[in-house]
Amino acid sequence: LLVGTPEQVAEKILAHHELFDHDRFLGHISVGVLPHEQALRATELFATEVAPTVRKALSSGENGKAHAREARA
């Protein structure tokens, strides 16, 4: 379960990557519970803040784990 600020969510995804060395992430935003505007905002924040942070941290190939740690520091 990934909840928090965009920075906290990116940090959690990077921590999972460091542990499991996965190359895929599947997220789900429950639209049945949230008001429509909040679901849209959550999606926007993921696309504009979380995903770019994670991509940048992992963009160096084999050094991705080191960058993941640096991104969280």
Side-chain angles (χ1 to χ4, degrees):
L1 183 60
L2 300 176
V3 293
T5 66
E7 295 81 14
Q8 291 169 325
V9 172
E11 180 179 317
K12 291 173 186 179
I13 291 170
L14 291 169
H16 289 173
H17 180 270
E18 189 171 348
L19 287 172
F20 304 116
D21 198 29
H22 53 55
D23 61 357
R24 301 271 192 267
F25 176 80
L26 176 63
H28 175 80
I29 296 173
S30 182
V31 296
V33 179
L34 289 177
H36 183 70
E37 290 301 318
Q38 287 182 353
L40 288 176
R41 182 68 178 142
T43 303
E44 178 184 9
L45 287 171
F46 189 87
T48 61
E49 296 187 32
V50 176
T53 299
V54 172
R55 282 188 196 112
K56 182 178 178 184
L58 300 177
S59 66
S60 66
E62 291 184 33
N63 294 326
K65 288 185 182 182
H67 285 290
R69 284 190 294 273
E70 291 170 11
R72 291 194 313 271

